Amino acid sequence: MDPILLLEQAFNGLQFGLMLFLLAAGLTLVFGIMDMINLAHGSLYMVGAYLIAAITAATGSYWWGLCFGVLGAAVFGALLEVSILRHFYQRDHLSQVLGTFAILMMCNEGVRLIWGAQPVPLSTPDSLAGPVELFPGFFYSSFSLFIIGVGLLVALLMYLLITRTRLGMQIRAGAANREMAMAMGVNVQRLFTAVFAVGAALCGIAGGMLGPILAVQVGMGESILIVAFVVIVIGGIGSIRGAFLGALIVGVMDTAGRTFMPMLFAHLMSPEAAANAAPAVASILIYLLMATVLFFKPRGLFPTHG
Amino acid sequence: MTNAKHSSPSILDHSLHWRWAVPLLIALAALPLIAVALGGDFYITLASRILIFALAATSLNFILGFGGMVSFGHAAFIGLGAYTVAIAMQEGMVNAWIAWPLAMVVSGVFALVIGAISLRTQGVYFIMITLAFAQMLYFLVVSLKAYGGDDGLSMAGRSFVAPGLDLARDRDFYYVTLALVSASVWGVARLLNARFGHTLQAIRENEVRMIAIGFPVYRFKLVAFTLAGALAGLAGALMANLGGFVSPSLMQWSQSGMLMIMVILGGVGYLYGGLLGAVFFLLLEELLSHYTIHWQLGLGAVLLLVVLVAPNGLASLVARKKGAAHG
């Protein structure tokens, strides 16, 4: 097999995996600490992407857009937590599903109301438009490299935040044993708002990174939300390390499946049958992975609580 | 997740309440006449659609509300039923007496297999594994190019039930749907008030204890899951006939989510929960979409309000009033 192609796919997988991690990190913290199913998490990603697109269009600079869009997403997340989501912590999972689904609907419609039903343009900044030659014969998109860099940097910052700061300590305590953390005097309310703001900011970053590659449109949050849920379930709910490794596994596996399945199938069957079956099997892969993981390790790969 | 605390006389009492059921049935039977008087077959079709969703939501409520199994893949069984009927028709089988039971069998068998694997997990993991299987089936159907793939599959017509009964006439279709949905709701009520239903609800309340006193808990849950799958298959068969068209979007996860929303909205663990939820959700959608293209904003706001005001769904409001009257 072509080593260049293999390397390229590894980079693509890493890129997708890191972006998934940004989404999964906030989702798993909210899930792990507050035991809350938040279907509106994808909406933060969407709102972030729209804000970035709008500010980029207004200022003419992607960097200003990214900067203030992420900030805006964080503020939006915090406001959502303070105004609505807070009322759902003490409720059962089903109420949370209904409540956050309602928020998801309203976010979708609100965005459609403000920006219209058509996708909003957001392109890569000129400075990162072209490919770079990583070593002789291997060209790779500089924007994708930038995404990988940002993803790794954010993952590192998250790691430092979680392991080295007071806030991180409280988050870890909350994820491991919420009641005990509350009993030990953690300011739960402030912690929850902070976690939400951080999660929303991460969503915003992912929105700004993936926006130019995929599309900034209504409903962009839903499909990726399901994948993010798959990631945190594979990784083990509440575990940041699990989310990170789960995201990389899912990202690489999904990317590799989409590239190599058609090749594999082309060897095994008629071209027509392969063209039909390969994409379906590639899409199924991550769900198959999740079902397999849950079958053997019902609490995910890196469960947080004993 | 349970409704042990609402104030009806017994949490195991899920009778049809003939006092309400009979007038409701009469009203539903008279509905086509009223609709024609109001000027349109449109309302008959809408009512058929609501009834079909009521059936689907009731089948989900059966396992979710009474068995405590939060299945996030229920749309898969609806889609399987719909595709069974559509494919059967493409292959020349138009007889509903064969195609519809076949749809139930196909959905039931898939539910049996998926349930057998999924029921090993619990809680959030059960939600996710049922979602996983539904997604796999969804992508499988997308790849079925022989039967339309992405684009879906158009049906030549509606199934044949009996001479003199033409499903292509919206009114006839409505009455067949009404009969099937009523019979299903009656059957579910019978089952819930029987030993099987009581065992199921006991498992929901305390699974460990039921295992400890020797009930084959896994088998009970699996049977319930399979039955619910078969009922969803029937709903799918009707849905395929209503639209004359099936597509993978029937099986999308958002469809499963919408069914779950209907159940939660109507009342988890209330016999009429699925029905109420489907009626409320679809009517509200219909109504709001008449006034504005941004109806989802209003629908979302109403859903949010309902979940904040009526934590156990709309049916709990009725039950609470009834309880107050009794007390």
Side-chain angles (χ1 to χ4, degrees):
Chain A
M1 196 170 287
D2 188 0
I4 295 285
L5 179 68
L6 212 59
L7 196 64
E8 196 183 330
Q9 292 312 314
F11 270 74
N12 285 344
L14 183 66
Q15 175 201 329
F16 186 45
L18 285 169
M19 289 304 107
L20 279 180
F21 168 67
L22 296 188
L23 289 163
L27 197 62
T28 203
L29 284 180
V30 171
F31 214 155
I33 299 178
M34 304 165 207
D35 194 28
M36 167 139 173
I37 298 184
N38 181 15
L39 292 184
H41 194 72
S43 302
L44 299 171
Y45 163 77
M46 177 183 70
V47 168
Y50 267 92
L51 284 176
I52 289 166
I55 299 171
T56 300
T59 60
S61 157
Y62 175 77
W63 307 110
W64 284 121
L66 191 61
C67 214
F68 287 105
V70 170
L71 205 65
V75 171
F76 181 71
L79 283 178
L80 207 58
E81 197 275 341
V82 172
S83 60
I84 304 176
L85 293 171
R86 182 166 285 186
H87 300 290
F88 285 101
Y89 295 147
Q90 299 303 323
R91 304 282 293 278
D92 58 40
H93 278 157
L94 291 177
S95 297
Q96 294 167 355
V97 166
L98 180 52
T100 54
F101 180 80
I103 296 170
L104 177 154
M105 275 178 103
M106 289 163 76
C107 283
N108 274 346
E109 207 51 56
V111 164
R112 200 175 287 145
L113 195 68
I114 298 172
W115 284 287
Q118 296 303 317
V120 167
L122 175 64
S123 46
T124 51
D126 292 337
S127 49
L128 295 173
V132 282
E133 190 168 21
L134 280 183
F135 57 82
F138 180 57
F139 289 90
Y140 195 68
S141 151
S142 55
F143 188 69
S144 292
L145 279 178
F146 170 68
I147 292 182
I148 291 173
V150 170
L152 287 175
L153 184 70
V154 172
L156 181 70
L157 287 177
M158 279 287 288
Y159 174 77
L160 292 177
L161 175 81
I162 300 268
T163 58
R164 295 280 189 273
T165 67
R166 189 173 181 80
L167 179 68
M169 185 187 73
Q170 294 179 343
I171 288 175
R172 272 181 295 142
N177 191 331
R178 185 169 39 143
E179 279 80 20
M180 188 56 82
M182 286 156 88
M184 298 302 277
V186 173
N187 185 339
V188 180
Q189 221 146 65
R190 207 184 51 198
L191 177 70
F192 288 3
T193 313
V195 166
F196 244 98
V198 170
L202 295 178
C203 282
I205 296 175
M209 300 282 126
L210 288 179
I213 297 179
L214 306 172
V216 180
Q217 59 189 357
V218 174
M220 63 191 278
E222 275 96 277
S223 46
I224 207 151
L225 172 78
I226 288 293
V227 185
F229 265 113
V230 168
V231 164
I232 69 172
V233 166
I234 288 177
I237 289 166
S239 162
I240 283 284
R241 193 167 58 116
F244 184 71
L245 293 169
L248 289 188
I249 293 171
V250 168
V252 170
M253 191 154 165
D254 191 61
T255 309
R258 280 174 207 289
T259 314
F260 298 119
M261 274 297 159
M263 298 180 173
L264 181 69
F265 275 47
H267 283 295
L268 297 176
M269 53 181 83
S270 74
E272 196 197 356
N276 289 339
V281 174
S283 307
I284 285 171
L285 269 185
I286 61 168
Y287 298 103
L288 207 58
L289 175 72
M290 176 168 80
T292 313
V293 166
L294 287 186
F295 191 78
F296 290 106
K297 298 200 73 170
R299 301 178 63 85
L301 293 175
F302 304 95
T304 40
H305 332 240
Chain B
M1 203 160 288
T2 59
N3 301 291
K5 285 185 247 9
H6 68 74
S7 48
S8 74
S10 158
I11 62 162
L12 294 179
D13 174 31
H14 302 289
S15 67
L16 284 165
H17 295 285
W18 291 110
R19 236 166 354 118
W20 300 350
V22 171
L24 179 70
L25 200 59
I26 291 172
L28 284 173
L31 195 123
L33 303 175
I34 304 167
V36 169
L38 283 173
D41 278 1
F42 166 75
Y43 293 102
I44 304 177
T45 311
L46 175 67
S48 301
R49 181 159 168 265
I50 292 178
L51 281 177
I52 295 169
F53 271 98
L55 173 60
T58 300
S59 83
L60 176 61
N61 201 7
F62 179 61
I63 48 172
L64 192 159
F66 300 99
M69 293 171 259
V70 187
S71 164
F72 203 174
H74 214 58
F77 305 123
I78 293 171
L80 284 169
Y83 262 91
T84 304
V85 170
I87 291 174
M89 185 160 290
Q90 172 131 327
E91 305 299 337
M93 167 55 59
V94 292
N95 193 331
W97 295 95
I98 298 174
W100 295 5
L102 187 67
M104 294 180 75
V105 169
V106 168
S107 293
V109 167
F110 271 92
L112 180 69
V113 174
I114 291 174
I117 300 169
S118 304
L119 285 170
R120 292 166 179 277
T121 62
Q122 287 195 322
V124 173
Y125 298 98
F126 179 79
I127 301 180
M128 293 306 291
I129 204 163
T130 47
L131 170 74
F133 281 114
Q135 289 290 90
M136 290 183 212
L137 286 174
Y138 167 75
F139 287 115
L140 217 62
V141 171
V142 168
S143 76
L144 271 183
K145 290 288 187 278
Y147 296 110
D150 253 344
D151 303 326
L153 180 61
S154 287
M155 291 162 64
R158 285 178 174 166
S159 300
F160 170 80
V161 177
L165 195 67
D166 186 4
L167 285 196
R169 280 208 302 263
D170 287 329
R171 202 172 46 118
D172 293 18
F173 181 77
Y174 172 81
Y175 279 120
V176 169
T177 304
L178 179 62
L180 284 174
V181 174
S182 312
S184 302
V185 172
W186 177 75
V188 167
R190 284 295 299 261
L191 207 53
L192 287 174
N193 292 308
R195 262 177 70 99
F196 178 82
H198 286 182
T199 309
L200 197 62
Q201 289 163 82
I203 292 169
R204 175 194 71 192
E205 293 297 318
N206 196 332
E207 187 163 344
V208 175
R209 183 172 293 177
M210 291 302 281
I211 295 172
I213 58 178
F215 275 89
V217 164
Y218 176 80
R219 212 180 306 156
F220 267 97
K221 286 169 84 172
L222 187 55
V223 170
F225 195 85
T226 307
L227 281 175
L231 267 189
L234 179 61
L238 288 170
M239 225 176 268
N241 270 289
L242 177 69
F245 175 73
V246 292
S247 82
S249 67
L250 278 175
M251 306 171 79
Q252 233 160 14
W253 75 269
S254 51
Q255 289 290 317
S256 300
M258 196 171 77
L259 282 178
M260 213 194 284
I261 298 301
M262 286 178 184
V263 172
I264 304 169
L265 190 64
V268 173
Y270 290 90
L271 178 59
Y272 289 110
L275 187 83
L276 266 177
V279 170
F280 187 82
F281 189 96
L282 294 173
L283 274 187
L284 198 64
E285 180 187 290
E286 195 63 42
L287 194 72
L288 287 171
S289 60
H290 269 298
Y291 288 104
T292 166
I293 54 161
H294 299 293
W295 53 272
Q296 284 200 23
L297 209 58
L299 188 57
V302 174
L303 291 186
L304 200 59
L305 194 73
V306 169
V307 71
L308 287 172
V309 175
N312 294 319
L314 296 167
S316 73
L317 293 178
V318 182
R320 196 185 300 163
K321 273 209 194 95
K322 194 164 64 92
H326 278 291

